[in-house]
Amino acid sequence: MAGSRSKTKAKKEAAVLEDATIEAIADYIIKGNVKNIIVMTGAGISTAAGIPDFRSKDTGLYDNLQRFELPYAEAIFDIDYFEERPEPFYALAKELYPGKYLPTKTHYFIRLLHDKKLLLRNFTQNIDTLERLSGLDSDKIVEAHGSFATASCVECDQPADMDNVKKAIIAGEIPRCEAGHCKSLVKPDITFFGQSLPKRFFKKLADFDEADLLIVIGTSLQVQPFASLIDNVPDYVPRLLINKDKAGEHHSPHHGFDFKWKYGRKRDAFFSGDCDQGCERLAELLGWKVTTVSWMRRRMTHSFCSAPGRT
Ligand code: OAD
């Protein structure tokens, strides 16, 4: 027991940043303090692929749904509304259906963390399956809000044939359950408001106890329970937000980011700006020679050439 206590103490002492910057986070990694990074991601990491995020003013999805005449924007992902009026969701699903989008530099950066044996898990809110397309092992991905990869009946839960679901959605039709006489609505297994998150999400929550660095990218941290996960890593674990805007800032000493270190813990850092640039900067600081050309080549081939690294 004494041994485990001193191990915890050593970890606590190690987790002090020089500054609330991405440079300080890179130094922290280079010093060898990090082996188990959790990356939490949101829609901001896919905007460079051409997929809108949800809440950005003017460009976000929720500002561009007028054509569906919804009572409120989030209704498009509300299970009760869907069961009454599924057409808007299917029309949107046709527009967003995976297949025409490619992973971004940020997706490949996350894969690079895995290749460097530093990634414990990528918890993503995204349903676009671009993490899978980057070549990241499926075991490393937790799709917290489900994805378009599978679909099932809203009534009898039977899994649906994905070829048929895709054909129906692309043809502008509503897929129906083919199990027995059911014929109820089939919905991609995306978690709607009013539905519980996938079992795998809850199963993997224990990862947060094991994390030694948290990187949060491209999310407004406005949707629960995902948003609160930033507080699930131990108190001594550094956290980096890479985002256009500050998100998830503190509302008490133990809840939310504290970029000004108001509560004395020197552990939160913020990179303000585009997430691809943030990831490129971090790779550069770590000595990973990832040029724009090689990022793009990876994007084209979905494969990695080895990049020299310090870890
Ligand atoms: P949001 O649209 O709420 O937030 C995206 C965040 O990414 C915002 O803070 C943007 O400023 C930022 N952002 C956008 N493009 C960026 C870029 N290129 N570089 C850096 N930052 C960028 O999306 P999420 O937080 O993912 O749920 O939304 C969470 C959930 O709300 C979604 O999973 C979805 C939605 O309702 C369901 O559908 C169940």
Side-chain angles (χ1 to χ4, degrees):
M1 286 307 284
S4 70
R5 253 203 313 272
S6 62
K7 202 172 151 199
T8 308
K9 190 160 182 281
K11 269 189 181 173
K12 276 183 184 169
E13 282 170 0
V16 175
L17 297 179
E18 293 293 318
D19 211 345
T21 59
I22 200 166
E23 287 77 13
I25 292 284
D27 279 350
Y28 188 79
I29 297 172
I30 289 165
K31 281 179 188 150
N33 292 312
V34 169
K35 299 218 163 14
N36 284 321
I37 302 177
I38 289 185
V39 180
M40 290 171 59
T41 47
I45 76 161
S46 295
T47 55
I51 304 171
D53 68 5
F54 294 91
R55 295 179 181 80
S56 282
K57 199 170 169 338
D58 301 331
T59 56
L61 198 63
Y62 290 151
D63 262 1
N64 290 282
L65 297 174
Q66 294 81 358
R67 64 193 180 285
F68 297 124
E69 298 181 344
L70 301 162
Y72 56 98
E74 283 96 337
I76 200 150
F77 296 118
D78 183 289
I79 192 66
D80 294 332
Y81 187 79
F82 172 81
E83 289 184 14
E84 291 286 312
R85 196 176 160 234
E87 294 83 3
F89 168 74
Y90 287 119
L92 185 68
K94 181 179 174 180
E95 289 170 26
L96 296 180
Y97 210 89
K100 47 183 187 262
Y101 303 104
L102 290 172
T104 65
K105 288 180 187 178
T106 299
H107 290 98
Y108 287 120
F109 176 74
I110 297 166
R111 170 158 172 193
L112 188 54
L113 289 177
H114 174 47
D115 290 355
K116 298 284 182 187
K117 304 206 178 341
L118 294 175
L119 182 71
L120 174 57
R121 211 79 62 189
N122 176 196
F123 282 73
T124 181
Q125 295 165 100
N126 298 346
I127 55 175
D128 54 34
T129 65
L130 294 186
E131 297 80 10
R132 299 173 185 216
L133 209 55
S134 75
L136 186 59
D137 281 0
S138 56
D139 178 53
K140 290 286 162 183
I141 306 168
V142 174
E143 291 166 330
H145 294 167
S147 84
F148 272 104
T150 57
S152 52
C153 174
V154 294
E155 198 60 42
C156 72
D157 276 341
Q158 281 294 313
D161 179 297
M162 279 318 288
D163 286 341
N164 292 344
V165 173
K166 183 175 177 180
K167 263 187 225 150
I169 291 178
I170 301 299
E173 292 160 8
I174 292 179
R176 296 271 169 190
C177 183
E178 291 166 352
H181 298 289
C182 185
K183 304 284 179 245
S184 296
L185 293 168
V186 161
K187 176 178 88 48
D189 293 329
I190 294 164
T191 308
F192 276 29
F193 294 109
Q195 289 193 298
S196 75
L197 273 61
K199 285 197 185 84
R200 181 172 163 76
F201 170 82
F202 296 102
K203 214 168 134 191
K204 294 296 178 191
L205 284 182
D207 287 346
F208 283 80
D209 295 332
E210 304 303 318
D212 47 27
L213 176 67
L214 179 68
I215 305 181
V216 180
I217 319 177
T219 172
S220 62
L221 291 174
Q222 287 194 30
V223 173
Q224 299 293 355
F226 193 91
S228 294
L229 293 183
I230 64 168
D231 296 318
N232 279 24
V233 292
D235 272 358
Y236 49 82
V237 168
R239 306 181 292 189
L240 168 67
L241 173 69
I242 300 176
N243 209 48
K244 279 189 177 160
D245 327 287
K246 275 188 183 160
E249 277 199 283
H250 61 87
H251 45 88
S252 76
H254 295 282
H255 297 287
F257 288 126
D258 177 15
F259 300 118
K260 292 190 176 144
W261 297 353
K262 190 173 153 192
Y263 297 111
R265 257 182 236 106
K266 299 179 175 181
R267 67 155 177 166
D268 290 339
F270 177 48
F271 176 91
S272 166
D274 178 75
C275 53
D276 283 355
Q277 284 175 10
C279 290
E280 216 160 8
R281 176 78 183 128
L282 190 52
E284 204 177 80
L285 289 164
L286 293 170
W288 300 344
K289 308 271 180 248
V290 199
T291 63
T292 303
V293 176
S294 65
W295 283 111
M296 295 315 284
R297 187 169 58 232
R298 286 178 188 137
R299 188 170 163 151
M300 301 293 285
T301 60
H302 302 154
S303 68
F304 267 82
C305 49
S306 60
R310 296 189 195 179
T311 50

